Amino acid sequence: MAHSQSSPECYLYLHGFASSPNSAKARELGDRFQDLGIALEIPDLNQDDFSHLSLSRQLAQVEALLPDRPVTVIGSSFGGLTAAWLAERNPQIQRLVLLAPAFQFLAHWLPRLGSEQLLRWQQEQYMAVYHYAAQTELPLQYGFVTDLAEYHDGDLGRSLPTLILHGVHDDVIPVQASRDYAEQRPWVKLIELESDHSLATVSDRIWQEIQAFCELPLL
């Protein structure tokens, strides 16, 4: 897809849940784009207020950043889910790269908490969640769950070039979630990798796939 020099494509990276722009994946991708002389925007989705995080808040935050020109969004885990919903609502997003996207997030996450802890969270409204960037537990409001429950993966129907990279040993969001998503959507290309949720062991392969899919120049 050719774009004039006056209107270069915009690239965005959305980090995962309880992560930050400082994550290993965000830094590495930022460096790789920088090597090509291309800016990769990496907003902080925590907004200095992780406790009141929600999918709706992330969508509003990123939508305010979207320029009026073609955008490619790369999203990791919960950032991947966010990217899919952004593309549904914003036509300038013309390509998606989803790294272990958090489809069926509540269905996988809530059962792990157990009914007792879930009920306590509902009653007390806040629950301590380990935040990888802060390296400590931070309170998360129950509104995160009620907000996310309003979004149904089955409603994502916009046809646009989409690449999903998912580890077959992912025990956070099983690869089956991406298989289910891709099966109903012929515009989605799913590549399964020998890795876990972090995809840390296949970073070179991920970059090769991103370069090819996004038609980025080779160094």
Side-chain angles (χ1 to χ4, degrees), residues 53-67:
L53 178 77
S54 70
L55 179 56
S56 292
R57 191 186 81 175
Q58 289 197 175
L59 292 172
Q61 177 189 358
V62 181
E63 280 175 335
L65 302 173
L66 291 176

Side-chain angles (χ1 to χ4, degrees), residues 113-125 142:
L113 298 178
S115 52
E116 201 175 305
Q117 190 177 1
L118 193 57
L119 183 63
R120 193 161 60 243
W121 188 11
Q122 214 171 347
Q123 290 169 341
E124 297 174 3
Q125 283 300 297
Y142 188 74

Side-chain angles (χ1 to χ4, degrees), residues 73-85:
V73 185
I74 304 170
S76 173
S77 193
F78 196 65
L81 179 66
T82 306
W85 280 104

Side-chain angles (χ1 to χ4, degrees), residues 181-199:
Y181 185 80
E183 188 182 13
Q184 304 299 324
R185 297 165 179 84
W187 57 90
V188 174
K189 178 184 181 182
L190 169 61
I191 296 177
E192 300 184 13
L193 301 168
E194 280 291 323
S195 195
D196 59 13
H197 189 66
S198 74
L199 296 170

Side-chain angles (χ1 to χ4, degrees), residues 2-15:
H3 306 299
S4 68
Q5 288 303 305
S6 59
S7 177
E9 190 159 352
C10 171
Y11 291 89
L12 269 176
Y13 176 79
L14 305 182
H15 64 74

Side-chain angles (χ1 to χ4, degrees), residues 93-111:
I93 296 176
Q94 297 188 358
R95 196 160 40 196
L96 289 177
V97 178
L98 310 179
L99 310 176
F103 295 127
Q104 305 171 17
F105 184 85
L106 293 181
H108 294 299
W109 192 44
L110 296 184

Side-chain angles (χ1 to χ4, degrees), residues 17-189:
F17 175 75
S19 185
S20 81
N22 228 6
S23 73
K25 213 179 277 135
R27 288 200 315 269
E28 183 174 351
L29 281 173
D31 289 346
R32 293 200 191 249
F33 270 87
Q34 194 173 15
D35 289 344
L36 297 177
I38 300 171
L40 179 65
E41 302 289 328
I42 309 177
D44 186 349
L45 303 174
N46 297 289
Q47 292 194 57
D48 292 326
D49 183 16
F50 174 73
S51 294
H52 295 97
L53 178 77
S54 70
L55 179 56
S56 292
R57 191 186 81 175
Q58 289 197 175
L59 292 172
Q61 177 189 358
V62 181
E63 280 175 335
L65 302 173
L66 291 176
D68 190 20
R69 62 179 195 269
V71 180
T72 290
V73 185
I74 304 170
S76 173
S77 193
F78 196 65
L81 179 66
T82 306
W85 280 104
L86 283 167
E88 192 70 17
R89 303 176 359 173
N90 297 278
Q92 68 267 54
I93 296 176
Q94 297 188 358
R95 196 160 40 196
L96 289 177
V97 178
L98 310 179
L99 310 176
F103 295 127
Q104 305 171 17
F105 184 85
L106 293 181
H108 294 299
W109 192 44
L110 296 184
R112 293 180 181 200
L113 298 178
S115 52
E116 201 175 305
Q117 190 177 1
L118 193 57
L119 183 63
R120 193 161 60 243
W121 188 11
Q122 214 171 347
Q123 290 169 341
E124 297 174 3
Q125 283 300 297
Y126 288 91
M127 178 182 75
V129 170
Y130 186 77
H131 194 287
Y132 299 94
Q135 296 188 323
T136 188
E137 290 194 332
L138 295 175
L140 178 64
Q141 191 181 40
Y142 188 74
F144 174 82
V145 174
T146 52
D147 175 78
L148 190 51
E150 297 296 314
Y151 293 86
H152 305 284
D153 297 352
D155 294 337
L156 291 165
R158 183 180 161 216
S159 169
L160 78 162
T162 302
L163 172 66
I164 297 180
L165 298 156
H166 209 130
V168 293
H169 306 297
D170 192 329
D171 62 355
V172 178
I173 303 291
V175 68
Q176 190 62 46
S178 283
R179 289 174 184 158
D180 293 346
Y181 185 80
E183 188 182 13
Q184 304 299 324
R185 297 165 179 84
W187 57 90
V188 174
K189 178 184 181 182

